[in-house]
Every structure is written in structure tokens, then in C-alpha cells.
Amino acid sequence: NAGVMQNPRHLVRRRGQEARLRCSPMKGHSHVYWYRQLPEEGLKFMVYLQKENIIDESGMPKERFSAEFPKEGPSILRIQQVVRGDSAAYFCASSPLGTANTEAFFGQGTRLTVV
Amino acid sequence: GENVEQHPSTLSVQEGDSAVIKCTYSDSASNYFPWYKQELGKRPQLIIDIRSNVGEKKDQRIAVTLNKTAKHFSLHITETQPEDSAVYFCAGNAGNMLTFGGGTRLMVKP
């Protein structure tokens, strides 16, 4: 089992460009969570998805940010028209049954730098 | 929603001493409390967890205690070693997702 895979590991974007972050959960895991971590800060919840459904997006900014987890393929976190304040590490975690019953495993993260 | 508070934000101990990190949570629906260790530039990794049907769990030098009535739980590391130096995060799982505390930076001085 390869674990939770995120790519790219590092992403540099100019202000106004789009950023696409990918997360492939562990095999057999259908629950995906995205978190943002600013330097020297904690893990802030953004969105919780199951296959083809957004379960909770209460932590996601209303504009410019979107997430999906299609039936086939990885989960995608998309940030449109990036600004310097979007620079952060973005982690995804996956779980087979949701954290009510099972633990969550994190990917290595994508470090987004907006220049 | 769930709110998890974590203290202290930084903790410095001598090698061999014990370290204790404390967390409180607000949502009584939380029933699973994991602890993650994050080394610089790396992913958070689960080190121990506890469910609400037990009060204490131990794994070698690491133990976690849970007081459901008071809504607080703690991480105890005994005989600390330099490789324990990292940021530690607690979490609660209300709403079927993890809400994290702000983190504790543990520094173990040799």
C-alpha cells in the first residue's frame, strides 16, 4: 500500500494563476480530507469529501477554492486566481470509514508558493 | 462545531525528563482523539489515539489519558529523547472529521 499520495510536492504559481493539487487516497479509502497549514501554525480543516460528494466544506473560502473527488481518479483541490496569502502547505488525509470509526492518514503535502 | 484548545504552545525539556501536553474539546459528540507528530517539513503522523470508551492507553514511552466529563485529554511522553523533538497535534472527531489543536512544539535538549 503506497499510502496517501499527493502531487506535486512543491508548486510555484504567479499571482492570478490557477493551482491544482492532487491527492490519491490509500487503497480502499473513500473519505478524503483537505487541510491547510500556514508556516509555524496548525492544521486548518478545509473540506471533507467522499466519492463524488462534498460532505462538509465549512472550512473552505467561498471564493476561488473548490474541491472534488470523482468516481475515478484523485481528489483535486483547485485554487483560482491565487494570491500571496494562499501560500501554505496543503495536506490531504484519507480514511476508510471516516474518522468516527477509523484513523486518518496524511499525505506528504503540497507546498504552494505564490510569487 | 468542534473547538480544540492545546497547551502549552512550546515545551522545552531535558533529555530523560517527561513531557505532558494537554487538550480540551468542546463537542461532546467527539469520541475519538488521535495525537499526531509532525517533524519539520514532513507529514503529520499518528502516534497514538484513544476512544471515548477508555480512560487511558499506553504504548511504550507514550501514554494518553481522557477525561470525558471534563472534556480534556493529555499526552504523556516519558524518558524523552532528542528524536522526540517535533510539533505535536491533538484532535477531536466530532462531525466525522478531525479538528486539530494549535500544536505544541516540543524541544528535547540533550
Side-chain angles (χ1 to χ4, degrees):
Chain A
N1 196 327
V4 180
M5 303 298 291
Q6 288 187 250
N7 68 81
R9 292 288 307 279
H10 300 274
L11 182 61
V12 179
R13 283 288 178 266
R14 296 187 186 279
R15 281 178 293 169
Q17 291 185 319
E18 179 180 288
R20 281 189 179 228
L21 288 61
R22 295 174 186 77
C23 169
S24 296
M26 287 177 71
K27 188 176 180 181
H29 288 196
S30 59
H31 298 245
V32 167
Y33 306 83
W34 284 93
Y35 289 85
R36 177 162 64 178
Q37 187 175 40
L38 295 170
E40 305 295 317
E41 294 194 9
L43 295 153
K44 301 297 183 187
F45 168 77
M46 298 183 73
V47 62
Y48 165 29
L49 309 105
Q50 283 181 261
K51 281 287 186 181
E52 301 183 273
N53 291 303
I54 296 175
I55 307 301
D56 188 322
E57 56 182 349
S58 58
M60 197 124 83
K62 294 288 186 285
E63 297 179 354
R64 303 189 298 109
F65 285 73
S66 62
E68 62 176 6
F69 188 15
K71 187 176 180 181
E72 302 291 337
S75 175
I76 306 285
L77 179 67
R78 183 183 177 204
I79 311 173
Q80 295 178 290
Q81 300 172 346
V82 296
V83 301
R84 288 223 171 101
D86 297 332
S87 295
Y90 292 83
F91 288 95
C92 84
S94 75
S95 174
L97 295 172
T99 61
N101 296 294
T102 53
E103 60 200 54
F105 297 89
F106 279 84
Q108 300 248 23
T110 293
R111 279 151 186 81
L112 172 65
T113 302
V114 180
V115 297
Chain B
E2 175 71 288
N3 182 43
V4 179
E5 301 278 345
Q6 183 171 348
H7 299 280
S9 57
T10 60
L11 179 59
S12 182
V13 300
Q14 286 294 139
E15 182 177 359
D17 287 351
S18 295
V20 180
I21 302 170
K22 299 182 178 182
C23 289
T24 60
Y25 63 98
S26 62
D27 194 330
S28 56
S30 282
N31 60 3
Y32 171 65
F33 305 93
W35 287 86
Y36 286 81
K37 175 184 180 182
Q38 187 178 30
E39 296 176 350
L40 189 63
K42 297 193 175 180
R43 77 179 86 191
Q45 292 200 294
L46 181 72
I47 56 171
I48 194 167
D49 55 18
I50 190 167
R51 297 190 183 279
S52 60
N53 57 345
V54 298
E56 185 173 355
K57 183 176 178 181
K58 191 173 181 180
D59 182 3
Q60 299 184 343
R61 297 186 296 108
I62 295 173
V64 58
T65 58
L66 170 65
N67 183 326
K68 278 185 64 179
T69 304
K71 292 184 187 169
H72 66 70
F73 55 113
S74 300
L75 177 71
H76 304 251
I77 306 174
T78 58
E79 301 171 28
T80 53
Q81 300 167 3
E83 51 264 39
D84 294 329
S85 296
V87 179
Y88 291 81
F89 293 99
C90 63
N93 76 327
N96 204 20
M97 62 195 186
L98 295 179
T99 299
F100 286 88
T104 297
R105 181 174 300 279
L106 174 64
M107 293 169 284
V108 180
K109 294 179 284 187

